[in-house]
Amino acid sequence: MHEIIEVGLTVNGRPHELRIEPRETLGEVLRDRLALTGLKVSCDSQVCGACTVLVDGLAVSACTYLAVDADGRSVRTVEGLAVDGRLTPLQQAFIDHAAFQCAFCTSGMLMTATALLEENPAPTREEVVTGLEGNLCRCTGYAPIVDAVLAAAAATAEATA
Amino acid sequence: MKRVIERPTPPSPISVSVPRRDGIAKVTGSAQFAVDVVVPGMAHAKILRSPYAHARIRSIDVTAARAHPGVIAVVTADDLPDVILRYGHALADHPMIATGKVRFAGEPIVGVVAEDAATADEALRLIELDMEPLPAVTTVEAALADDAPVIHEEAAEQRPHRGFEEDISKTAANVCSHSRQHYGDVDAGFAAAALVIEGEFRYPMCYAYAMEPYTTVASWNQGQLTVWSSAQHPYMVRDDLARCFGLPLSSVRVVVPYVGGGYGSKSYTKIEPLTAALALRAGRPVRLALVADEAILTTRGDSARVRVKSAFDAEGHLLARKAEVLLNTGAYAENSPLVARKAANRLSGPYRIPAVDVTCDAVYTNTAPASSFRGFGAPQVVLAGESQMDEAAERLGLDPLEIRRRNVLKPGERPWPKVRGIDADLGADMELAAIELDWDAPAEPGRGKAICISASDAGSEPVTTAVLRVHADGSATVMCGSTEMGQGSNTVLAQIGAGEMGIPLERVHLNQSDTGMVSYDRSTGASRTTTLMGLAIRDAARDVKAQLVGWAQDAIAKDGAEVVEEHEGVRVGGTFHDWGAVVRAWFAGAGGECIGRGYVRKAGATEAMPPFWEVGCVGVDLTVDEQTGRIQIHKLVTIGDVGCAINPQLAEAQDVGAAIMGLGMATREELVYTADGNLLNGNLFDYRVPRASDIPPLATVLVERGDGVGVYGAKGGGEGALNPVAAAIANAVFRATGARLRQAPFTPERVWRALQERDAAAS
Amino acid sequence: MIPRFSYSRPRSLGDAFHAHAATDGEGAYVVGGTELLQVMKMGLAQFRTLIDLKGIAELHGIEVLADGTLRIGACTTHRQIERSPIVAASLPGLAELELHLANVRVRNQGTIGGNLAFAEPHSDPATFLLACDARVELASPAGRRTVAIDEFVLGPLYTSREPEEILTAVLVPPAGKGGGRGYAKAKFFERPAVAVGVALTVVDRVVVSARVSLGSITEVPMLVPAAAAGLVGAAADPASLAAAARIAAASAFADLDAVDDLNGAADYKRHLAGVLIQQAALAALTEATPHA
Ligand SMILES: Cc1cc2nc3c(=O)[nH]c(=O)nc-3n(C[C@H](O)[C@H](O)[C@H](O)COP(=O)(O)OP(=O)(O)OC[C@H]3O[C@@H](n4cnc5c(N)ncnc54)[C@H](O)[C@@H]3O)c2cc1C
Ligand code: FES
Ligand code: FES
């Protein structure tokens, strides 16, 4: 029999007790066991960022992050951004700026940018570019994504001012 | 974004930047892609691929893999005697799984189906291959050598969907297809020339890297095959599947959920036949989801070697062009015969050239198969053509813009006999680019600017249908075979349907890309969807309206009152009835619907080929770091000449995306093979696509002159901004440094070497 | 897909050694897994057991010891280093290096210890830390030892660490008065193509000592004493130092056994090293003469 480990993780605020194999990645557990399919696997090698989720607020590559390492931690995915159907300012800005086309990169972009804005609510354009450097997008040419992140930062600042 | 609008205003919401209809699904993670499709009982497949570029398969031992717990089926070509293994829409030369020999490293040899993907992966490692390596060729030069190993010993069946009329012809054993574009008296042109420019250019082998790797789910049910796939052209895939499995077209259903990027790389059939074969043997629905490392071995773009010479008179007018283009097409034809055909056409550029003789051979090699890739055929040759325009300008002492002014086709002028006259004003587009670049400002040392243009015979074949259903509540459903791969077709096409029917956009729904449910469309590619599917939807709207006017006559104007058609419904005897009211009245109840049909074929407005010209106009302003060879772009200008932007924001997005993709190929991207056929950078670690930090300042202009064949003068976009990018960079680097670049990508190392050569030549 | 393995999560070094001994040589330590899981996925390595070191408290933390040595626990992530005020104050070049290493996810997961222990030839930290004369601290059931970077990283993916040994910390000596350390790299793909580290000490406006390291360009990061010698004696102003660096590079790098690979041909990379040494030297000078 394959070794099974019991883990407890909170996903988008909801606790889950799971029995998993050590080899399972966080991406596999979220997609296949919890049906949270928003994250996508593209490069499967930590380069593209399509699989980005947040573990205790930090962006990680769910394609190459063991689910057991999330034991006792809090995981956030794209499905956890909007609350009761209300989009976050970042999600809204992505729509307003056409910051996606095919959107295979979008869940990862949103999670990376969410972490970035939580750490640095008023980033410069250059900080946004550096922060998104590890998330690939083949459709948009990035410019609208950077615009959207800056617009979301401005919208949030305005709402809390 | 700037807009230049010289056309009448269409009805709302056409030409309005409404938000994408897939927006909420895509920002909440709920948009469904092929990899998200789950079918009850679904098993998972993994593929064992060839480690050799060219080898005979002596034997395959799958005993241990079959015995591995959790394995459902292990399938080789020998296990599929009842299946036609070779598919291909142009040439049926591509076995879904290797038969007898392999022709590239990465070719599928065995498929394993198991309860889960990890188990399938484990079983792969238990398979033993006994292979006899054969000499391999990876370059066109090696493949065309006299003693080259023959890659395809047998001739393949020609298929009707190749996209051009003439037969596919071969001129040597390893030539997949030979194309020629020939008109005028070329020898006379060269004889009369005051200046002849001659050179060789190379365009790299590139990987489209659609972020979604190829993914297919196949399920058999009582002899009916259903396939969910990441395919751009569901109807083309249906055709191959029906042929391979001996089924009528009506027994094959291909469903395409959201596609995670295509750019041509998901045109035509990829892993669908193999997945269907695995499902057949497993007796279970099967998902085959590749990762990027496998996708990179599935399809790439053709690389090109272009030898070209151009004749000019003393005033810089083109007199003739002669060229030989060789495409490295890899192991299988896929769509390369058409890429070759297009490359031959597109080397003439948007110029008036009295005599042209261009041959283009797609050459088989032992590398991953090449096929369509955004702009196909154009970027490969525009680098050569546009570089020669600047070289000629330099030699003749002309401004590069001026030499183009003297040669560019005027609107309506035919580039070569018997084609549609060009439906664009590239001369005016160039002037717009010049304004954005401040072209006439005095040149700063070390800084270079360039403007390059291109014209592509685009749109593919006009074979498109659409159905528009008006429901009893006045809402409407548009059913069409176009896929949504990010370009925004489900927004733009709904806008056209809403605008034509006078129905609010939020009451128009689009059903797309399910061959079991919606009607035929040849393909989603060649920038054709807005134009051709837009026309089909317009015609379906006209058809449904005509029917509804008749129904109003029958059911409402019983006493013979006059029925007046209005934009949003009909007026009968002074009373307005919207379209839903007409439906209800005709069925005399609360239900019913009216069905309109639109057909687009090679007739009427879409008889002349190509259906439209897709033009490109790009400007750059750059400097070069002479120490490292790094190019820094200070401004990238795109002029999007789209006729009518149905959704300006999305049209601009296409241009930006295309230009940046062009930038990647011009400066960084190239697949590198070893001489024995191993791909050195078959992963995203070493194949570097543009990143956020690579994006230069952009200036985009949308030009709408209403000159396309589509609704309100629309025509295709999304490729034009890519095609001239490499040439523009090469020309600007020359202007900045005096070094001429002839081989893309222009990596810092190549630029540095070109600078060394310049210095060596000067001393 | 990552092949199957079993997982152990020790809480102390002792437990970790125990767990390692129990695997009969078929176990490996893992921390962020950014290298190890990737090679397992690609089928390049297989281990029956992975022993996760993240739960061992003493492998975490950044501090400055009494003698000014910067001590970074092996399980410190790149991101923690990038954002550490202690590192920013005592070794700013490392904080800057970390900001531009890999991507934010790899920096959140991957560790300095994992980077050095894996000994990938394009490691940024290895090259820079070599110039800084740093040492790594290793623990085994037999006790502890410290090893200089160039005695630790011996070849591509090859170190002097014994299989059961655990890298516990990285130790970087202080720059000292008038000391500064700089780093510069050229990167075309995911990892650097050429990297240069420079450490120097300035006394009375003259460079009196220097160390120059070179990485990514050769199979293992290396010191280039001839290049360092070329910097000694240079006047401590940017123009003079850059000129000295350029001249030093021209001879010191000329016979360098650079590798030809996707990153570029050897001659181009040697040329780049000559460009980068100037940048690294100027960065070091800025730290050495902060008020100049
Ligand atoms: C996409 C990508 C880009 C990258 N780019 C760069 C770059 O630009 N520059 C650069 O320098 N690096 C780069 N890296 C490498 C990165 O820095 C390392 O992957 C990371 O630091 C390794 O740390 P880890 O904790 O994940 O190691 P692991 O993967 O957990 O371990 C790596 C190896 O070290 C061993 N090991 C780990 N910790 C210890 C310990 N404390 N004691 C003993 N043995 C140990 C493990 O057994 C294993 O063999 C990149 C990596 C990726 C994936
Ligand atoms: S899929 Fe995880 S980073 Fe690309
Ligand atoms: S929107 Fe397609 S990859 Fe980013």
Side-chain angles (χ1 to χ4, degrees), chain A residues 100-105 137-140, chain B residues 211 263:
Chain A
F100 54 87
Q101 291 178 25
C102 80
F104 210 73
C105 68
C137 173
R138 196 58 155 160
C139 295
T140 62
Chain B
M211 286 193 69
Y263 328 109

Side-chain angles (χ1 to χ4, degrees), chain A residues 40-51 61-64, chain C residues 105:
Chain A
K40 297 289 181 270
V41 173
S42 175
C43 70
D44 201 23
S45 60
Q46 310 170 69
V47 177
C48 76
C51 66
S61 309
C63 69
T64 318
Chain C
R105 301 179 306 282

Side-chain angles (χ1 to χ4, degrees), chain B residues 653-668:
Chain B
Q654 281 302 304
D655 266 11
V656 171
I660 298 306
M661 200 171 246
L663 182 67
M665 292 190 264
T667 56
R668 289 187 179 271

Side-chain angles (χ1 to χ4, degrees), chain C residues 113-129:
Chain C
N115 180 297
L116 295 173
F118 193 65
E120 215 284 337
H122 301 82
S123 162
D124 284 296
T127 305
F128 181 54
L129 292 171

Side-chain angles (χ1 to χ4, degrees), chain A residues 18-81:
Chain A
L18 298 168
R19 292 166 49 77
I20 60 170
E21 288 188 55
R23 59 151 288 279
E24 287 180 62
T25 63
L26 184 55
E28 287 164 348
V29 166
L30 292 170
R31 286 185 52 88
D32 301 340
R33 293 183 184 264
L34 302 180
L36 294 170
T37 55
L39 78 90
K40 297 289 181 270
V41 173
S42 175
C43 70
D44 201 23
S45 60
Q46 310 170 69
V47 177
C48 76
C51 66
T52 308
V53 300
L54 307 188
V55 177
D56 285 349
L58 297 176
V60 301
S61 309
C63 69
T64 318
Y65 181 96
L66 295 179
V68 296
D69 285 348
D71 192 12
R73 295 178 190 273
S74 165
V75 177
R76 283 154 71 200
T77 71
V78 69
E79 289 88 349
L81 291 180

Side-chain angles (χ1 to χ4, degrees), chain B residues 68-210:
Chain B
H68 194 64
V71 169
I72 300 163
V74 180
V75 180
T76 68
D78 289 346
D79 301 308
L80 297 167
D82 49 341
V83 175
I84 296 177
L85 293 175
R86 284 166 177 263
Y87 68 92
H89 65 284
L91 278 175
D93 66 352
H94 198 160
M96 60 180 81
I97 191 160
T99 58
K101 82 171 197 176
V102 294
R103 297 180 180 81
F104 69 100
E107 182 156 7
I109 299 179
V110 189
V112 174
V113 182
E115 294 295 343
D116 57 66
T119 304
D121 211 42
E122 271 173 2
L124 284 191
R125 300 175 198 219
L126 303 173
I127 296 168
E128 288 189 30
L129 295 177
D130 181 6
M131 318 258 293
E132 177 195 338
L134 302 171
V137 286
T138 59
T139 62
V140 291
E141 289 83 359
L144 296 176
D146 289 341
D147 57 349
V150 176
I151 296 172
H152 289 267
E153 289 87 354
E154 299 156 36
E157 180 193 336
Q158 299 217 14
R159 306 283 327 286
H161 284 302
R162 57 188 168 272
F164 50 87
E165 278 165 15
E166 69 269 22
D167 276 348
I168 294 176
S169 65
K170 284 167 84 88
T171 45
N174 285 330
V175 168
C176 163
S177 79
H178 171 81
S179 294
R180 185 172 183 192
Q181 169 71 302
H182 188 193
Y183 53 85
D185 187 342
V186 174
D187 292 339
F190 279 95
L195 172 71
V196 174
I197 302 281
E198 191 164 359
E200 179 178 303
F201 296 84
R202 284 178 188 260
Y203 198 81
M205 219 183 244
C206 290
Y207 169 46
Y209 185 40

